[in-house]
Amino acid sequence: GSDWSSDVCSSDLMEKQKAAGEKWSALTQEQKEEIYALMDSRAAADAALIDKLAELGVIDQADADRIKQHMQEGLAEIKESGD
């Protein structure tokens, strides 16, 4: 089971997530676009890291491709939903 402190932390975190969601919704489209641009830059850096790991044989290329595809789909979903 869970104890009282983890329940409080979970509840507190849920409230903070709700508040953050409301603040996000209040942003202008231009402000959201700034965030999306930063997310795109981070995704490009992450993809380069994944490619390098595949190049060095740390992970398989097929796995690298799947990871990058999943990242791209997640970012596209965020942009489409506005969340």
Side-chain angles (χ1 to χ4, degrees):
S2 62
D3 61 22
W4 176 83
S5 62
S6 66
D7 289 344
V8 169
C9 290
S10 177
S11 176
D12 186 49
L13 181 58
M14 289 176 61
E15 286 298 318
K16 288 182 179 185
Q17 287 176 326
K18 181 181 176 189
E22 291 169 359
K23 290 176 184 177
W24 173 263
S25 295
L27 295 178
T28 66
Q29 189 59 37
E30 182 178 341
Q31 290 170 322
K32 289 179 181 180
E33 291 296 332
E34 288 181 59
I35 299 298
Y36 296 152
L38 291 169
M39 292 171 76
D40 286 339
S41 295
R42 180 177 176 186
D46 288 347
L49 174 60
I50 292 165
D51 285 339
K52 181 54 76 173
L53 291 171
E55 176 187 323
L56 297 173
V58 175
I59 60 176
D60 293 332
Q61 185 62 54
D63 291 337
D65 292 342
R66 280 193 295 274
I67 292 167
K68 291 189 300 180
Q69 181 65 30
H70 180 74
M71 287 174 17
Q72 290 171 347
E73 290 169 358
L75 187 54
E77 186 176 312
I78 289 169
K79 289 179 180 182
E80 288 170 15
S81 70
D83 293 336

